[in-house]
Amino acid sequence: MLARVYHARGDMEQANKFYDKACKHSPELSPARFGLAQTLIWDEAYDEAAAHLRLLLGTCSNATDALAALGLLEVKGGKDRREAFVYLKKAIDLDPFNPDLVLIEALALQQHESDYPLSLDRYRKAVCLLEAQSKAVPAEVLTNMGVLCHETKRYEEALEMYSKALKVLDESPEAAELAKSSEKSKDIVVRHKDNNLFWVYEESDIRVEAVSDTEKPTLVVRNPLTNLESLEFKAGDDLALNDIDVQVKEIINSDDNTIHIVVNDDAALPSSETRIKIKRSNGRLRNPSSISVAFNLARLHETAGRIVPAVELHKAIVKCHPSYVNSYLRLACIARDCGSLKDCSEWLKSAVAVAPGNPEVLTLVGNLHLSLCDWAPAQKVFDQLLTQKVPKVEAYSMLSLGNIYFNNLNTPKKYSKHLQYAADFYRRILTKDNANAYAANGLGTVLAEKGELFKAKEIFNRVREVSGDTILDTLLNLGHIYLAQKKHPEALQMYQSYMNRTRTTGAPITSKSQDDDEAEVLLYIAFAYFDWARQTELFNNANAAPADERYQKCIEYIEMAMKKSKKENVILRYNWCMAKLQAANCVLQKVNRNIRRTAQEVKDALDGLEQSLPIIQTMLQWKAEGRKVTIPTGMLTDFANQCKHNIDSAKSHLNEELKKEKEAQVIRDFQRIEAEANEKQRLLSAALEKERQQQEQEERERKARQKMKQVSNLVANWESAAAAEKERTATKKEKGPGVVPPGGVDDEAGIFDTDVVPTSTAALFDESDDDDDVNEPSGKADETAKVDAEKELFGDSSSEEEDENTNKRRNDEEDEEERASKKLKSSDEKDDEE
């Protein structure tokens, strides 16, 4: 009982002492052993607490609180997570409606980032159980849910959870006591609209009306106020007029004893008299319990890109609670990320003044010195941190010291010593924690520096597998390894992956700002293209054609790096000139390598050389004036001489290419003229052929019309002959048989009857001689007459050549008939003579 009293009072040391005595006196006393485990957990003696909980479960296996506590300890200890969650599941199965057990499971899942979604689901289930049992949801639970939503990028839901947590804290006895003991502050600490959880609009008795005859939006106070001090607000405060937010820019006491309030220019003022509301702090920032929620909300603003409200809220926190170090550190980090190193240093000084020995403050101070390449002060800071023997800070300090030694390998006569010191620090970290991927990455850089590329590559690939590419330095290191092995596509892929990751996360690693970091990586990419082009040129034949394109890529990335770099970088300028020189050499050598080139390419090469020469001459002038230029004078002089020689050579090459292109243009003009003449000839022939076909068509149509006319005449003759015949037959029938007249004539028809056989209709149109008809057989004559009649009436649909052949055959037949007729006549004459 005494141990429980001390436990309830919060005196954990005394409670632990009496719990231990109770357990020794009665080892099977479960409540005493569980209380002892709780005090040991408070003392962070997790292994000993877990041992007592196992003893408790040995005597009482259904103790749900012990099962849940043991599962949570196993998860925090980083041991067998599967066994830990078995304990938690067993506890929940024994008491499924106990929200505390579900909360412990959610807290256990919250220990690993990959389990954040599951942890959030368990928190939601616990909240549902609490609400079903009409219990209040603790602010800590809502805050944890807000943090999980923040980490899983559910920003709106996180904001909602933080708002609920602040409302719960407002109802706490501490907040009520604070509200009674202190007056509300009239000085508004936060006023941004995104920080509306920490201010409210308060009603006032001041009535104002808009003034229409002023240049700026102005309000006039209608209350009988005697001076400006009687106003409840000042310049810079925010007011509300019928849900219209305005900001006070200036307060003027006019000559007519009226007070004018000048507001922001874009304000839409109401036309009628209005009572104003004044923005005031709601007192939440004065509540110590709300500070963690306010800090989390400021971090949410940072992640969502709302930097202005984040800075405002952090400043409000340090103003209300000057000892809250985390906000000092965040303000320093924001200033560093924005490139304001001076402000960063000031905030860190304030943090050191508040918490001189705070490891987080010293770590950030050391990182600031590292970003400025102040190696000696950074080394002192991390040496001081090593003396504190804080486990996590100790590993980080050793890692930073290893990085400091590795970055100072160029110190004269200390290369081997510093390299060995860096390797020793990395090994010391891995000895204590063999899963430290950062130390393994550092050891890989040491091996790469020693030339053991294969081993270094294996380490970097292993680090990538373990860390899931969260250590972006590994991508750069692998890119350097591939570049050293002349695997340029793989190196470029690593560099591009690093750039994509840093753009996504916005976390610079190699330099002091995001732009400088990107400029450095762009220079790596440019050098990879440069080295790839140099390697391609070694073919010295047509296979070296891609080198020109790779030099252009190199120049493009150097120009991008120059734009990103904030200061004038002499090395970047020299690299740009060197890339221009090599690209020009590549273009001039295309003739010897049987690679086609254009005059424009030669002209671009000449322009690049003429642009590079003045830059190199300026650097030589700076060297002569004693200015700091890290490039040796001999290199600059050789570059200038080679550039001048290449300019003269490029000019002659350009004249030659222009002459070739002019000759080629003349040939192309001749070919074009010839092609145009051929095209005109083709069009003329096509037109003539079309005209001939049109004439033939017209001739065929004329013949067809003529023959159709003949057919019409023939049909008309037939019809007239048939009508005459019909008329004779009808007349003959009307007269009938009569007396035979003298002379033996039977009737009138017999007068015209000559007993001549009527000829066929074909004979009516037969133009051949009678003699021919006599000598030819009647069937053949009829068939010939029929064919001739058809041809004469309907023509022929064959081509003109066939018509000519038909006419030729017809003429031959006529000649043959004429000869046969002459022969027959001669034989008749002989018979007459005889």
Side-chain angles (χ1 to χ4, degrees):
M1 291 297 294
L2 192 59
R4 286 190 173 182
V5 171
Y6 283 117
H7 197 166
R9 291 179 178 178
D11 190 352
M12 295 299 178
E13 293 181 0
Q14 293 295 326
N16 179 270
K17 187 184 298 184
F18 284 102
Y19 278 134
D20 187 42
K21 289 182 179 180
C23 289
K24 289 178 180 179
H25 185 270
S26 179
E28 296 182 357
L29 187 60
S30 300
R33 193 167 297 280
F34 185 71
L36 178 61
Q38 287 179 312
T39 57
L40 290 171
I41 292 172
W42 174 85
D43 199 28
E44 296 184 358
Y46 298 130
D47 292 337
E48 190 176 351
H52 282 286
L53 289 173
R54 289 191 182 93
L55 290 174
L56 174 60
L57 291 174
T59 58
C60 183
S61 60
N62 294 334
T64 56
D65 292 338
L67 288 169
L70 182 58
L72 183 59
L73 288 177
E74 293 287 342
V75 172
K76 284 189 173 182
K79 297 180 181 179
D80 189 358
R81 298 184 73 243
R82 182 179 300 177
E83 183 180 358
F85 284 104
V86 167
Y87 288 133
L88 292 169
K89 186 176 185 302
K90 184 177 180 181
I92 294 173
D93 290 342
L94 290 171
D95 190 1
F97 297 105
N98 190 340
D100 294 333
L101 299 179
V102 181
L103 287 174
I104 292 175
E105 184 184 15
L107 188 60
L109 290 169
Q110 195 175 349
Q111 305 305 312
H112 290 79
E113 186 177 355
S114 59
D115 294 332
Y116 282 171
L118 292 176
S119 177
L120 188 58
D121 290 339
R122 304 309 294 170
Y123 273 120
R124 290 195 183 103
K125 182 177 179 181
V127 169
C128 291
L129 290 174
L130 288 170
E131 291 176 350
Q133 297 172 12
S134 300
K135 295 181 180 179
V137 180
E140 294 79 6
V141 173
L142 294 171
T143 303
N144 287 345
M145 293 179 69
V147 172
L148 290 173
C149 292
H150 180 181
E151 294 295 334
T152 54
K153 297 184 178 181
R154 303 174 184 179
Y155 300 141
E156 296 299 327
E157 190 175 351
L159 183 61
E160 182 182 355
M161 292 296 115
Y162 291 145
S163 177
K164 290 181 179 179
L166 289 172
K167 290 179 181 178
V168 172
L169 291 172
D170 289 342
E171 298 173 359
S172 64
E174 184 180 4
E177 188 67 25
L178 187 64
K180 291 179 182 178
S181 61
S182 61
E183 297 180 357
K184 290 187 178 180
S185 174
K186 293 186 178 181
D187 293 332
I188 181 70
V189 181
V190 291
R191 57 168 50 92
H192 198 278
K193 63 179 181 179
D194 290 332
N195 291 327
N196 56 4
L197 295 176
F198 302 97
W199 53 259
V200 293
Y201 278 114
E202 293 183 353
E203 294 283 350
S204 71
D205 296 331
I206 301 174
R207 305 185 69 84
V208 296
E209 188 176 1
V211 180
S212 59
D213 56 349
T214 56
E215 296 180 358
K216 297 181 179 180
T218 306
L219 298 170
V220 60
V221 178
R222 294 306 183 190
N223 298 60
L225 301 177
T226 57
N227 51 29
L228 299 180
E229 286 75 10
S230 57
L231 288 175
E232 300 177 9
F233 55 87
K234 61 182 181 301
D237 286 349
D238 295 324
L239 308 177
L241 310 173
N242 293 338
D243 298 332
I244 299 174
D245 296 338
V246 297
Q247 187 177 23
V248 179
K249 295 297 183 181
E250 187 180 2
I251 302 176
I252 303 172
N253 195 351
S254 61
D255 297 335
D256 56 353
N257 293 328
T258 58
I259 299 175
H260 290 74
I261 305 170
V262 181
V263 298
N264 48 303
D265 295 337
D266 57 346
L269 301 180
S271 58
S272 60
E273 185 175 322
T274 309
R275 178 177 294 179
I276 65 172
K277 297 178 182 178
I278 306 172
K279 183 181 289 187
R280 299 296 186 198
S281 173
N282 56 12
R284 283 176 173 171
L285 287 175
R286 292 183 288 110
N287 186 358
S289 302
S290 303
I291 293 303
S292 61
V293 181
F295 178 80
N296 290 337
L297 186 58
R299 294 286 291 121
L300 178 63
H301 288 327
E302 291 181 48
T303 308
R306 300 187 291 266
I307 302 300
V308 174
V311 171
E312 182 186 65
L313 194 51
H314 281 306
K315 288 182 178 180
I317 291 172
V318 298
K319 184 176 180 179
C320 296
H321 303 273
S323 61
Y324 197 80
V325 179
N326 290 336
S327 286
Y328 288 107
L329 300 182
R330 289 313 309 163
L331 286 168
C333 291
I334 293 172
R336 179 201 61 191
D337 295 340
C338 294
S340 180
L341 297 181
K342 183 179 179 181
D343 291 341
C344 175
S345 177
E346 292 297 327
W347 286 115
L348 287 178
K349 288 179 182 178
S350 301
V352 171
V354 171
N358 190 303
E360 293 183 4
V361 176
L362 293 177
T363 301
L364 198 54
V365 171
N367 289 338
L368 178 62
H369 287 302
L370 287 178
S371 64
L372 296 174
C373 298
D374 296 335
W375 308 115
Q379 185 178 2
K380 290 180 181 179
V381 171
F382 289 115
D383 283 336
Q384 181 182 351
L385 285 170
L386 275 179
T387 60
Q388 296 184 2
K389 302 271 183 201
V390 180
K392 294 183 179 180
V393 177
E394 183 180 10
Y396 186 82
S397 301
M398 287 191 290
L399 182 67
S400 299
L401 288 170
N403 294 338
I404 290 171
Y405 281 113
F406 187 82
N407 281 282
N408 285 273
L409 295 177
N410 295 329
T411 305
K413 299 181 181 180
K414 291 187 178 180
Y415 176 84
S416 300
K417 184 179 179 180
H418 284 182
L419 189 62
Q420 186 60 40
Y421 283 167
D424 291 342
F425 276 113
Y426 296 142
R427 288 194 181 97
R428 284 173 60 184
I429 299 170
L430 291 172
T431 301
K432 295 183 178 181
D433 181 12
N434 57 7
N436 194 312
Y438 293 97
N441 180 65
L443 189 60
T445 58
V446 172
L447 293 174
E449 185 67 26
K450 290 181 178 179
E452 300 179 14
L453 299 182
F454 183 75
K455 292 182 179 179
K457 183 180 174 182
E458 284 187 344
I459 290 176
F460 292 142
N461 285 324
R462 180 60 179 162
V463 170
R464 285 190 68 190
E465 292 176 3
V466 173
S467 64
D469 278 348
T470 56
I471 303 177
L472 300 184
D473 263 348
T474 310
L475 298 174
L476 281 183
N477 294 331
L478 275 174
H480 298 334
I481 294 291
Y482 285 128
L483 187 59
Q485 294 176 341
K486 302 299 179 182
K487 297 180 179 179
H488 300 94
E490 291 84 351
L492 290 169
Q493 183 181 0
M494 291 295 106
Y495 293 144
Q496 292 288 356
S497 298
Y498 173 85
M499 287 190 63
N500 294 335
R501 290 298 183 91
T502 53
R503 286 171 180 170
T504 302
T505 59
I509 291 179
T510 62
S511 303
K512 47 193 163 185
S513 72
Q514 182 72 29
D515 289 338
D516 289 340
D517 179 73
E518 193 166 345
E520 187 172 346
V521 181
L522 288 170
L523 190 58
Y524 293 153
I525 297 174
F527 180 75
Y529 275 113
F530 183 84
D531 191 65
W532 196 5
R534 291 291 296 273
Q535 184 181 5
T536 308
E537 280 194 286
L538 296 177
F539 289 110
N540 202 26
N541 53 25
N543 294 328
D548 183 34
E549 181 182 356
R550 288 162 189 167
Y551 278 127
Q552 297 303 322
K553 280 284 187 181
C554 170
I555 294 170
E556 178 184 345
Y557 277 98
I558 292 177
E559 290 174 349
M560 291 170 62
M562 292 166 66
K563 291 179 181 178
K564 287 289 182 181
S565 184
K566 295 180 179 179
K567 297 188 298 184
E568 180 69 22
N569 195 320
V570 177
I571 300 296
L572 280 177
R573 290 286 179 185
Y574 179 79
N575 291 336
W576 183 80
C577 296
M578 178 60 71
K580 286 285 187 180
L581 178 63
Q582 293 298 328
N585 288 337
C586 180
V587 172
L588 298 180
Q589 291 294 326
K590 281 187 175 183
V591 175
N592 301 330
R593 295 169 181 165
N594 296 325
I595 302 174
R596 185 180 176 276
R597 69 181 182 184
T598 62
Q600 185 62 41
E601 291 178 350
V602 180
K603 187 177 183 305
D604 293 340
L606 178 60
D607 292 341
L609 292 171
E610 290 177 345
Q611 293 171 3
S612 302
L613 183 59
I615 297 175
I616 300 301
Q617 291 174 343
T618 303
M619 292 181 184
L620 284 170
Q621 184 179 354
W622 289 348
K623 294 282 283 188
E625 293 174 355
R627 297 177 62 178
K628 184 178 179 180
V629 178
T630 56
I631 305 168
T633 306
M635 291 179 62
L636 294 174
T637 305
D638 293 342
F639 187 100
N641 294 333
Q642 188 177 359
C643 193
K644 291 177 182 178
H645 178 268
N646 283 0
I647 287 174
D648 296 335
S649 178
K651 288 179 179 178
S652 62
H653 279 259
L654 180 59
N655 293 331
E656 183 180 349
E657 288 296 330
L658 289 173
K659 183 179 178 181
K660 288 181 180 178
E661 289 195 357
K662 187 175 181 181
E663 293 174 356
Q665 184 63 36
V666 171
I667 294 173
R668 286 194 295 270
D669 290 341
F670 282 135
Q671 292 175 348
R672 179 178 54 78
I673 293 171
E674 184 179 359
E676 289 177 354
N678 292 336
E679 181 66 16
K680 288 180 180 179
Q681 182 64 30
R682 187 186 65 80
L683 293 175
L684 181 59
S685 300
L688 293 175
E689 178 67 19
K690 185 176 180 181
E691 185 178 357
R692 185 184 63 78
Q693 292 178 358
Q694 187 175 2
Q695 290 177 355
E696 291 178 357
Q697 181 67 22
E698 290 176 355
E699 181 65 20
R700 284 195 293 269
E701 290 177 356
R702 186 188 63 78
K703 289 181 179 180
R705 286 194 299 271
Q706 184 178 1
K707 291 177 180 179
M708 289 300 296
K709 187 176 180 181
Q710 293 178 0
V711 170
S712 300
N713 294 336
L714 179 61
V715 172
N717 291 336
W718 284 345
E719 291 177 352
S720 60
E725 181 65 24
K726 185 176 181 181
E727 185 178 356
R728 285 197 303 270
T729 304
T731 305
K732 187 175 179 180
K733 288 182 178 180
E734 288 177 358
K735 289 184 177 183
V739 180
V740 178
V745 180
D746 295 333
D747 53 14
E748 292 179 0
I751 299 174
F752 304 99
D753 188 5
T754 58
D755 295 331
V756 180
V757 180
T759 60
S760 64
T761 58
L764 295 175
F765 305 98
D766 190 4
E767 297 177 357
S768 61
D769 298 336
D770 293 339
D771 295 336
D772 296 337
D773 294 339
V774 172
N775 292 305
E776 289 182 0
S778 61
K780 183 177 180 180
D782 293 341
E783 184 178 355
T784 302
K786 183 178 180 181
V787 171
D788 290 342
E790 289 178 354
K791 288 182 177 181
E792 184 179 1
L793 290 173
F794 303 107
D796 198 356
S797 62
S798 61
S799 63
E800 200 169 290
E801 183 179 355
E802 293 177 351
D803 292 341
E804 292 179 358
N805 294 333
T806 303
N807 294 333
K808 187 176 180 182
R809 287 196 302 271
R810 183 179 296 172
N811 293 333
D812 292 340
E813 290 176 358
E814 290 177 355
D815 292 340
E816 186 178 354
E817 290 176 357
E818 186 177 356
R819 286 195 298 272
S821 177
K822 289 180 179 180
K823 186 177 179 180
L824 182 60
K825 288 181 179 179
S826 62
S827 61
D828 291 340
E829 289 176 356
K830 288 180 180 181
D831 291 339
D832 293 339
E833 289 177 358
E834 291 177 358

